[in-house]
């Protein structure tokens, strides 16, 4: 146990935890995007999918995954803030000259800000859907889970908010994916360009995939 605590007391250890939770959260996003794609198959397909998750024996597994998910988000955010604070403290401020590593990108220097926007998004998102599906009073009017999603995305404020948030998700993942590999020590002349490319593809597919739902339901959905 001692070695474990020691490892996670060092800065690298903290980053390691952030990298591992980051991979786990990306895996969750891939599964979540797949699940949301039932929205394109229509009301019954999506409602049956949500029913399958929440009202069959699978619900026990889902509850365990939810706890792991909350812990994953919590560790990721906690270590991100600690790391950002450490880097801030380590920055020389003596001469009021902004010292910026020329190799670092704007996105990599501003991960904390994209993270903050994604965090605000997550709170609003859980209120919109997770809470509404379980406890929302709109259900008393006979609205189904599918209707809740459609109604949310037909509101221009939410439509724009979701799409803008997905731009920040793209920026966050764009740097985060390759950074996690570096933290794990996977830095190779031959493989790193592929990892960078693959990270960009994942960032694009996830953020464009998620952004496609508000865009579709706002601009193209004819009702069914
Ligand atoms: C814009 C496209 C998105 C749509 C249409 C969408 C849809 C949904 C829906 C319908 C639920 C409720 C599921 C249920 O209670 O059965 C949900 C839950 C959730 N969403 Fe999203 N989501 C989107 C993007 C995201 C993104 C980008 C994130 C992460 C940054 C995210 C994180 C979550 C989390 C953590 C939950 C709770 C999961 C659970 O309780 O099992 N979602 N989402």
């Amino acid at each position: 146990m001692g070695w474990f605590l020691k490892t996670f007391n060092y800065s690298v250890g903290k980053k390691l935890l952030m990298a591992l939770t980051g991979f786990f959260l990306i895996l969750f996003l891939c599964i979540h995007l797949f699940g949301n794609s039932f929205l394109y198959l229509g009301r019954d397909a999506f409602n049956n999918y949500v029913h399958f998750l929440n009202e069959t024996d699978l619900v026990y597994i889902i509850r365990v995954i939810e706890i792991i998910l909350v812990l994953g988000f919590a560790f990721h955010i906690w270590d991100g803030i600690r790391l950002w604070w450490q880097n801030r403290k380590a920055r020389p401020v003596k001469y009021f000259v902004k010292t910026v590593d020329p190799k670092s990108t704007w996105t990599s220097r501003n991960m904390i800000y994209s993270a903050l926007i994604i965090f605000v998004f997550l709170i609003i998102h859980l209120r919109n859907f997770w809470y509404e599906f379980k406890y929302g009073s709109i259900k008393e009017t006979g609205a189904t889970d599918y209707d809740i999603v459609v109604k949310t995305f037909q509101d221009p404020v939410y439509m724009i908010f979701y799409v803008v948030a997905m731009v920040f998700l793209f920026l966050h993942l764009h740097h985060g994916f390759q950074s996690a590999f570096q933290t794990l020590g996977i830095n190779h002349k031959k493989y790193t360009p592929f990892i960078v490319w693959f990270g960009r593809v994942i960032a694009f597919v996830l953020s464009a995939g998620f952004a496609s739902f508000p865009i579709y339901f706002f601009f193209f959905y004819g009702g069914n």
Side-chain angles (χ1 to χ4, degrees):
M1 196 64 190
W3 67 267
F4 181 85
L5 291 175
K6 233 182 190 171
T7 306
F8 286 94
N9 255 335
Y10 291 121
S11 173
V12 168
K14 279 176 198 134
K15 254 199 119 180
L16 183 65
L17 196 56
M18 202 160 71
L20 294 176
T21 50
F23 280 133
F24 170 70
L25 294 173
I26 288 177
L27 181 66
F28 161 73
L29 286 181
C30 293
I31 297 169
H32 193 35
L33 181 60
F34 169 76
N36 287 346
S37 64
F38 281 89
L39 283 165
Y40 287 134
L41 300 180
R43 177 179 278 103
D44 288 347
F46 183 71
N47 287 338
N48 287 340
Y49 161 72
V50 176
H51 173 85
F52 175 67
L53 288 186
N54 291 304
E55 279 151 60
T56 63
D57 282 348
L58 204 68
V59 74
Y60 302 109
I61 300 174
I62 298 291
R63 288 296 96 88
V64 173
I65 294 174
E66 278 178 352
I67 294 168
I68 300 173
L69 205 54
V70 170
L71 291 175
F73 269 112
F75 276 121
H76 194 74
I77 294 167
W78 171 249
D79 275 354
I81 293 173
R82 282 179 82 117
L83 201 78
W84 168 75
W85 185 244
Q86 274 176 8
N87 288 343
R88 224 183 119 90
K89 273 200 310 199
R91 223 182 274 160
V93 286
K94 244 198 262 166
Y95 302 111
F96 295 100
V97 176
K98 248 191 155 180
T99 48
V100 170
D101 177 355
K103 286 199 295 300
S104 73
T105 61
W106 183 89
T107 330
S108 70
R109 290 193 303 276
N110 294 290
M111 286 297 271
I112 191 78
Y113 301 111
S114 52
L116 195 68
I117 290 164
I118 296 166
F119 181 70
V120 172
F121 161 82
L122 193 60
I123 302 294
I124 294 173
H125 175 53
L126 292 179
R127 175 65 188 80
N128 282 155
F129 297 143
W130 183 84
Y131 178 85
E132 209 58 43
F133 281 18
K134 288 189 173 49
Y135 312 107
S137 54
I138 189 178
K139 289 222 160 158
E140 286 158 21
T141 66
T144 66
D145 297 327
Y146 181 81
D147 302 317
I148 293 173
V149 176
V150 174
K151 191 169 174 284
T152 306
F153 291 152
Q154 287 188 334
D155 180 330
V157 174
Y158 280 125
M159 188 274 289
I160 293 169
F161 172 68
Y162 268 75
V163 173
V164 171
M166 291 311 101
V167 173
F168 285 95
L169 181 70
F170 172 77
L171 296 174
H172 198 76
L173 297 181
H174 182 277
H175 173 73
F177 190 82
Q178 62 168 87
S179 172
F181 273 94
Q182 296 232 341
T183 301
L184 297 182
I186 303 167
N187 198 350
H188 189 278
K189 237 208 252 156
K190 205 162 133 198
Y191 304 117
T192 297
F194 172 74
I195 290 169
V196 171
W197 173 83
F198 189 62
R200 285 177 187 168
V201 172
I202 293 229
F204 179 77
V205 170
L206 285 174
S207 47
F210 282 121
S212 74
F213 301 105
I215 290 173
Y216 169 74
F217 284 108
F218 189 81
F219 291 105
F220 304 107
Y221 177 69
N224 66 3

